Amino acid sequence: MDELLRRKVDGYLAEWKNNHDRKPLIVKGARQIGKTRSIERFAERNYKSVVQINFVEQKKYKDIFDDGFEVNTILKNISLLNPELQFLPGDTLFFFDELQACPNCATALKFFKLDGRFDVICSGSPVGINYKEIESNSVGYKEEYEMSSMDFEEFLWAKGYTDDFVEDLYQHMLEVKPLANLKIDVLFDIFRDYVTIGGMPEVVNTYIKNKNFSGTLNMQRQLLKDYEEDITKYAEGLDKAKVKAVYNHISRFLAKENKRFQVTKIGKNARNRDYVGCVEWLADAGVINVCYCMNQPELPLKGNYDPKLYKIYFKDTGLLIASLDEEAQEDLRANKNLGTYKGAIYENIVGDMLAKQGYKLYYYNSDKPALEMDFFVRDADTLIPVEVKANDGATASLNNLLREDKYPDIRYGIKLGYKNIGSNGKYYTFPYFLTFLLKRFVAEKKREG
């Protein structure tokens, strides 16, 4: 069934194959986001021989590097374990899966590159015990691609929409031309489904096949349990109970008015210093997006934020919804009433859509003057506030940030909501579902000057 699921990594892999000076490739990302299936499909279509080794399921293959890293020696040891495998120079792909379980394999990548006869792709999850070690191995002789769960564009592809359809949406944004009522209604329906089930390929496949939500909630709850199991397995050097406590409190803090995550409110006598590294571990594992509070709404962003003030969002909004209680589930799935939960669901999905475009997440909150802004994006020399509206309330903060005399780095803003495309000369209004095109839009505005 997952033949339906076209992924952005497919295009990247095709480009990688066309580069004559290609290096061994590591595709990394959280578990169950479709890494293995995408690489297998690419391998089937492009190579006569595929040598696929999973270091978690086939532990004996970890020993193939014990006699050194010369490629012929590695081939000899692989042949000992499986004499039927073929090594055809120029037409063989070595696919090493679960790389995090075998750091020696990462060291071998340099030798595969220097040897030059075979292509190598690895996939790995950053939760692995040895991932830091892997990142420092074979520097200069490998390239990395970070993969995540499906973004909204990939979801549209899964629903049968084409590149031309997406391009037409983008042109409407550039020309600030409202979408036809039918189109916007249909897209909001699709978007609400995407928010509810998220972008995990297995969940999306079930939804596409059944044409409804049946079966998806159980799969999402299993994913939540799997991630919890990963904490137990891999959070080395940290108090696993504390990492779990952070993970299990995410939706509780998002339900609060200011949505800020506060370690001191997790439990009795909880102190920030006791939880050092817990949030970072979850972020590195690809489970959460962390959004930091800026000191001032100005450039640069790096260094201009408080590492102790942050919000935590689920990387996959479907998993946020699956973490809520039964009543919330019913309301969200049956009535598609995403406006409940104090706007947290909209913030979560917009944060994830921005993160999937490569943006780091920042917000701003100040009492004097009273100003709050959900997110900021930027181009080379402009800071752009992004306001996420769960309802059609006032935009006082956005208007205040656009006062030229006070915030010179801010030249225009973006407001996202249940709105059509528009502009009032100071900020652009876009429907939520177009967030996945913001990076392209911001780059185009920069070119126009």
Side-chain angles (χ1 to χ4, degrees):
M1 187 64 196
D2 59 355
E3 287 306 313
L4 281 172
L5 297 186
R6 173 185 163 202
R7 303 297 303 275
K8 290 186 174 174
V9 72
D10 301 344
Y12 183 90
L13 290 171
E15 280 178 31
W16 174 81
K17 178 90 168 78
N18 289 332
N19 177 3
H20 295 298
D21 192 32
R22 59 188 167 274
K23 297 172 181 174
L25 174 65
I26 299 175
V27 177
K28 64 178 185 176
R31 61 184 280 160
Q32 300 190 42
I33 55 168
K35 301 185 296 292
T36 299
R37 187 67 200 105
S38 293
I39 296 165
E40 285 174 343
R41 192 166 52 185
F42 166 77
E44 285 160 15
R45 291 172 179 174
N46 288 279
Y47 295 90
K48 274 190 186 159
S49 177
V50 179
V51 178
Q52 183 170 350
I53 293 168
N54 182 310
F55 290 117
V56 168
E57 290 173 9
Q58 301 164 289
K59 289 186 170 62
K60 61 188 177 182
Y61 280 93
K62 289 186 193 180
D63 299 336
I64 61 177
F65 309 103
D66 284 0
D67 300 320
F69 296 103
E70 190 187 2
V71 173
N72 283 336
T73 306
I74 296 167
L75 300 187
K76 189 177 79 181
N77 285 337
I78 292 174
S79 293
L80 275 171
L81 293 168
N82 186 348
E84 291 177 13
L85 290 171
Q86 287 186 296
F87 312 119
L88 310 172
D91 216 348
T92 297
L93 176 74
F94 284 86
F95 174 22
F96 297 118
D97 204 354
E98 304 287 8
L99 175 67
Q100 75 278 358
C102 186
N104 276 340
C105 181
T107 304
L109 299 182
K110 173 181 177 179
F111 297 87
F112 273 100
K113 169 62 181 154
L114 293 171
D115 180 275
R117 287 175 291 163
F118 308 105
D119 287 352
V120 181
I121 297 178
C122 307
S123 89
S125 162
V127 297
I129 313 160
N130 302 304
Y131 209 83
K132 289 283 180 274
E133 192 182 331
I134 280 163
E135 287 183 324
S136 62
N137 288 353
S138 293
V139 173
Y141 294 93
K142 66 177 193 291
E143 62 179 280
E144 294 193 355
Y145 178 89
E146 188 138 2
M147 197 170 161
S148 56
S149 64
M150 295 170 71
D151 69 10
F152 188 58
E153 184 170 11
E154 290 171 316
F155 192 76
L156 286 172
W157 294 343
K159 293 280 287 180
Y161 292 94
T162 62
D163 291 339
D164 288 344
F165 180 83
V166 172
E167 201 54 40
D168 181 61
L169 292 177
Y170 180 58
Q171 288 307 316
H172 273 76
M173 286 177 83
L174 284 185
E175 295 164 25
V176 197
K177 184 174 148 193
L179 296 166
N181 287 341
L182 175 64
K183 189 180 253 188
I184 203 164
D185 288 347
V186 167
L187 280 162
F188 268 128
D189 270 347
I190 295 169
F191 179 72
R192 279 189 288 263
D193 283 0
Y194 172 65
V195 173
T196 306
I197 67 161
M200 292 303 205
E202 196 185 354
V203 183
V204 174
N205 258 327
T206 301
Y207 157 84
I208 295 287
K209 189 168 66 181
N210 296 339
K211 298 186 171 57
N212 59 42
F213 294 141
S214 64
T216 57
L217 179 56
N218 286 339
M219 294 168 92
Q220 289 170 318
R221 287 191 171 147
Q222 186 57 51
L223 280 164
L224 287 167
K225 281 185 197 144
D226 290 346
Y227 281 141
E228 213 171 300
E229 203 177 289
D230 279 350
I231 295 169
T232 307
K233 221 186 274 184
Y234 295 119
E236 294 293 312
L238 291 169
D239 184 327
K240 293 171 184 182
K242 289 188 169 76
V243 181
K244 268 192 201 175
V246 171
Y247 177 66
N248 289 325
H249 277 79
I250 296 170
S251 49
R252 204 170 301 177
F253 282 102
L254 287 177
K256 296 186 183 304
E257 203 62 55
N258 73 3
K259 302 179 183 61
R260 185 158 69 81
F261 197 93
Q262 292 170 276
V263 163
T264 51
K265 292 186 179 171
I266 283 180
K268 209 176 170 190
N269 301 324
R271 294 171 301 189
N272 280 302
R273 68 169 182 259
D274 298 330
Y275 284 77
V276 170
C278 295
V279 173
E280 290 81 353
W281 189 90
L282 288 165
D284 288 346
V287 179
I288 61 170
N289 290 316
V290 185
C291 183
Y292 289 103
C293 185
M294 294 172 67
N295 296 322
Q296 293 296 329
E298 60 189 28
L299 295 173
L301 293 173
K302 206 172 177 185
N304 176 25
Y305 66 89
D306 188 335
K308 295 189 292 298
L309 299 179
Y310 52 86
K311 300 176 187 179
I312 298 178
Y313 299 112
F314 277 93
K315 273 249 186 211
D316 190 272
T317 304
L319 296 187
L320 164 63
I321 289 179
S323 75
L324 305 179
D325 57 39
E326 298 284 345
E327 292 74 27
Q329 286 293 336
E330 188 58 36
D331 194 20
L332 288 160
R333 285 164 187 266
N335 305 319
K336 300 190 177 179
N337 182 15
L338 303 181
T340 56
Y341 219 63
K342 294 192 168 62
I345 290 166
Y346 292 113
E347 274 189 41
N348 201 100
I349 190 69
V350 169
D352 190 44
M353 289 169 99
L354 294 175
K356 280 174 172 157
Q357 292 167 79
Y359 284 117
K360 302 280 186 208
L361 302 183
Y362 300 97
Y363 74 101
Y364 184 67
N365 200 322
S366 157
D367 294 333
K368 294 179 182 175
L371 264 184
E372 56 179 315
M373 187 48 53
D374 301 308
F375 299 104
F376 289 86
V377 296
R378 63 166 298 179
D379 60 28
D381 49 23
T382 308
L383 186 64
I384 302 137
V386 178
E387 184 163 44
V388 181
K389 299 299 283 186
N391 49 44
D392 198 24
T395 53
S397 287
L398 191 54
N399 286 322
N400 285 334
L401 283 169
L402 291 164
R403 284 172 49 193
E404 284 173 35
D405 54 329
K406 236 179 154 189
Y407 306 102
D409 290 337
I410 298 174
R411 286 164 206 166
Y412 68 93
I414 291 168
K415 178 182 170 184
L416 302 168
Y418 276 115
K419 288 286 197 181
N420 212 323
I421 296 170
S423 171
N424 64 2
K426 290 196 294 185
Y427 59 80
Y428 295 93
T429 302
F430 295 123
Y432 299 114
F433 56 75
L434 291 180
T435 305
F436 78 98
L437 291 165
L438 277 193
K439 194 159 197 175
R440 273 182 78 187
F441 177 81
V442 166
E444 189 75 31
K445 298 307 300 173
K446 166 79 179 138
R447 276 195 293 277
E448 288 174 8

